[in-house]
C-alpha cells in the first residue's frame, strides 16, 4: 500500500481542494492523481509557515524526516510523506491523508480502546526520540482500518530538549525490549536520509536522546507539569 501512495505522491498531479482550518501554519487538502489512480493528501508549503524564533523555515523537511525515521524503525507511525518542489504554492511536504473518525483522538483512544495502548506507548517513545514539541491529542488518528497513526511533525528534532505532548499516561513505564532494540542503532548512526534533513547539532542531539532512553529503560516523566502543547486537542 505505501509503495503505491509514495509513487502517487512523488509523481502525481497536485490539485488544491481547500485549506485545512485551525492550524498555525497553512495546510491544504489536495488531490493527487496519476492516470486513473489518485489519493488525497495534506500539503504544507514552506510559503505558508509562520516565522518561529526556535525553528528555522522549512518545517516541511521535518515532516519528511519524521516519516523516514518511522520507516527506518519499522514502526509505520507516520503516513507516507514526500517533499515536492513543484506543488501549487511552492516547495513543501505532501502527506497521505488518513481517512478517520475525527471524533477519535489520543484522549478517546486511551480512555475507550485499551487495545491501542501498546501503539500509543510506541508513539510516545517515537516522540521522545524525535523530540516532538507539539503532540496534541488530535495528532493521533485511528484510520477506518483500525490502524493508529501520528501526524503533524513539523516541530520535531530540535537540538534543545523541547518535548511537549499529551501522552504522559505511560510516564515512568518500562520501555518494551523490542522497542529498545529498535531504537538502539540510532545511538551510533542516524540514517543518512534523515540526517540530511537536519543540522549536525540536531543529529547529535537525537543520538544523545536515544542513549538516555537506552540507559534509563523507561519513558520520561514530566516533573514540571508544563510539557504540554496548547491547545491540548
Amino acid at each position: 500500500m505505501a509503495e503505491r501512495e509514495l509513487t502517487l505522491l512523488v509523481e502525481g498531479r497536485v490539485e488544491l481542494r481547500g485549506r485545512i482550518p485551525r492550524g498555525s501554519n497553512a495546510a491544504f487538502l489536495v488531490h493527487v492523481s496519476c492516470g486513473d489512480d489518485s489519493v488525497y493528501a495534506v500539503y504544507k508549503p514552506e510559503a505558508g509557515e509562520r516565522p518561529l524564533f526556535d525553528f528555522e523555515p522549512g518545517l516541511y523537511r521535518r515532516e519528511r524526516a519524521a516519516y523516514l525515521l518511522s520507516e527506518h524503525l519499522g514502526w509505520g507511525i507516520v503516513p507516507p510523506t514526500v517533499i515536492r518542489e513543484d506543488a501549487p504554492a511552492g516547495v513543501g511536504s505532501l502527506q497521505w491523508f488518513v481517512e478517520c473518525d475525527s471524533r477519535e483522538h489520543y484522549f478517546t483512544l486511551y480512555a475507550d480502546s485499551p487495545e491501542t495502548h501498546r501503539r500509543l506507548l510506541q508513539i510516545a517513545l517515537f516522540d521522545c526520540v524525535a523530540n516532538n514539541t507539539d503532540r496534541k491529542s488530535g495528532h493521533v488518528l485511528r484510520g477506518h482500518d483500525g490502524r493508529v497513526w501520528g501526524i503533524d511533525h513539523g516541530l520535531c528534532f530540535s537540538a534543545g530538549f523541547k518535548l511537549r505532548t499529551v501522552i504522559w499516561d505511560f510516564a515512568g513505564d518500562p520501555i518494551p525490549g523490542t522497542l529498545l532494540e529498535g531504537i538502539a542503532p540510532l545511538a551510533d548512526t542516524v540514517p543518512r536520509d534523515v540526517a540530511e534533513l537536519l543540522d549536525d547539532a540536531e543529529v547529535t542531539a537525537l543520538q544523545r536522546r536515544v542513549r538516555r532512553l537506552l540507559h534509563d529503560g523507561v519513558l520520561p516523566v514530566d516533573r514540571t507539569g508544563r510539557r504540554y502543547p496548547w491547545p491540548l486537542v
Side-chain angles (χ1 to χ4, degrees):
M1 180 178 68
E3 196 64 36
R4 164 188 166 262
E5 291 149 358
L6 283 171
T7 299
L8 279 166
L9 293 175
V10 169
E11 300 178 0
R13 178 184 177 189
V14 182
E15 298 177 283
L16 288 175
R17 290 298 173 88
R19 182 163 180 172
I20 297 173
R22 296 191 299 275
S24 300
N25 300 305
F28 300 91
L29 179 67
V30 297
H31 185 248
V32 187
S33 60
C34 187
D36 295 329
D37 204 1
S38 65
V39 293
Y40 283 97
V42 177
Y43 167 45
K44 296 183 178 181
E46 181 178 17
E49 294 175 6
R50 184 179 63 179
L52 299 171
F53 74 90
D54 52 350
F55 283 91
E56 293 293 326
L59 302 182
Y60 67 91
R61 290 192 291 269
R62 299 172 190 274
E63 297 274 5
R64 170 69 173 170
Y67 166 71
L68 292 172
L69 178 62
S70 171
E71 291 302 292
H72 281 295
L73 290 169
W75 294 355
I77 289 171
V78 183
T81 307
V82 305
I83 293 173
R84 286 285 295 263
E85 302 277 348
D86 60 343
V91 63
S93 61
L94 280 186
Q95 183 173 95
W96 174 61
F97 179 77
V98 178
E99 296 199 18
C100 64
D101 183 343
S102 61
R103 294 170 297 181
E104 288 192 307
H105 47 82
Y106 171 73
F107 291 136
T108 65
L109 291 173
Y110 183 81
D112 303 330
S113 303
E115 73 279 5
T116 67
H117 285 189
R118 182 174 177 84
R119 179 63 158 180
L120 298 176
L121 184 151
Q122 187 181 50
I123 294 174
L125 178 58
F126 180 81
D127 287 345
C128 292
V129 174
N131 199 15
N132 194 345
T133 308
D134 194 36
R135 177 62 75 197
K136 297 181 175 69
S137 185
H139 295 173
V140 177
L141 311 175
R142 178 155 62 175
H144 290 325
D145 62 355
R147 182 170 177 176
V148 177
W149 300 88
I151 62 167
D152 281 351
H153 296 94
L155 299 182
C156 287
F157 300 108
S158 173
F161 185 65
K162 293 179 178 291
L163 182 66
R164 289 200 294 271
T165 176
V166 297
I167 309 180
W168 290 109
D169 298 283
F170 307 100
D173 285 3
I175 301 170
T178 54
L179 297 185
L180 288 174
E181 291 171 8
I183 67 172
L186 297 172
D188 297 317
T189 304
V190 175
R192 178 175 294 182
D193 54 359
V194 176
E196 288 175 345
L197 295 165
L198 310 174
D199 65 33
D200 291 345
E202 290 167 341
V203 171
T204 299
L206 190 157
Q207 293 176 292
R208 186 167 57 245
R209 291 192 298 272
V210 169
R211 293 187 189 116
R212 180 63 181 269
L213 289 163
L214 293 173
H215 176 269
D216 293 349
V218 298
L219 287 166
V221 175
D222 175 24
R223 303 191 186 282
T224 70
R226 301 191 186 107
R227 293 196 174 278
Y228 287 84
W230 189 260
L232 296 177
V233 177

